[in-house]
Amino acid sequence: MATRVGILLRNKGTNDILLAHATGRKPPFCWDIIKGHLEENEEPIEGLIREVKEECGLDISNDSITFIGDYPYVKGDTLKVYYLEKDIPIDQLYCDSYFTDPYTGKQKPEMDEFLYFNFSKDDLEKSYVYKTLKVVLKDAFSKLEVYE
């Protein structure tokens, strides 16, 4: 069992949460929050800052990040979820974390597109977010009062 860290990046003053498209994934489950595994001996907040920088190019090291909670996740892992509300210009985001495509052998970014998704209760059920993440998001949003 491993620990993962993830963040709800909320576009300031809205109910829009940043989602990233996992390269090569197709519906129904292809959009995700910024998240990843901790490296050996890495503190959760350090891993979160690293993952955000790698997956969308943002430096959040000086921002006020709020811990929301620990959630059971896939393969028995724990997902530590954090929250940050910030103005984020989506056209300036980029992924600096790569994997080797098993079919072509070429390096590809882990995330290839970003969007803000306005989560209402109905939208979440109809969205292309991973099933396991939907449960996490529902609880986290209720704690943050996203459904105001």
Side-chain angles (χ1 to χ4, degrees), residues 6-21 31-34 68 81-86 88 90 93 113-120 124 127 129 133 137-138 140-142 144-147:
I7 190 164
L8 301 178
L9 288 167
R10 185 176 182 178
N11 196 16
K12 194 169 188 172
T14 73
N15 280 349
D16 294 340
I17 302 297
L18 179 69
L19 294 181
H21 180 265
W31 292 92
D32 209 343
I33 61 172
I34 303 298
I68 296 175
V81 177
Y82 295 82
Y83 169 79
L84 174 63
E85 186 171 349
K86 180 177 181 134
I88 303 170
I90 205 157
L93 302 179
E113 188 177 353
F114 302 94
L115 62 78
Y116 277 117
F117 196 87
N118 189 296
F119 281 100
S120 69
L124 182 58
S127 71
V129 173
L133 190 60
L137 292 176
K138 281 182 188 178
F141 289 163
S142 68
L144 296 169
E145 300 178 0
V146 170
Y147 297 128

Side-chain angles (χ1 to χ4, degrees), residues 122-133:
D122 291 334
D123 288 339
L124 182 58
E125 290 306 316
K126 296 175 186 174
S127 71
Y128 290 137
V129 173
Y130 294 95
K131 288 181 194 178
T132 309
L133 190 60

Side-chain angles (χ1 to χ4, degrees), residues 38-39 52 62 106 115 138 141:
L38 293 177
E39 294 179 355
V52 171
N62 294 319
K106 294 182 180 179
L115 62 78
K138 281 182 188 178
F141 289 163

Side-chain angles (χ1 to χ4, degrees), residues 96-115:
D96 199 24
S97 180
Y98 295 84
F99 70 97
T100 302
D101 184 301
Y103 302 106
T104 66
K106 294 182 180 179
Q107 290 288 296
K108 291 187 174 181
E110 286 184 50
M111 306 298 170
D112 61 4
E113 188 177 353
F114 302 94
L115 62 78

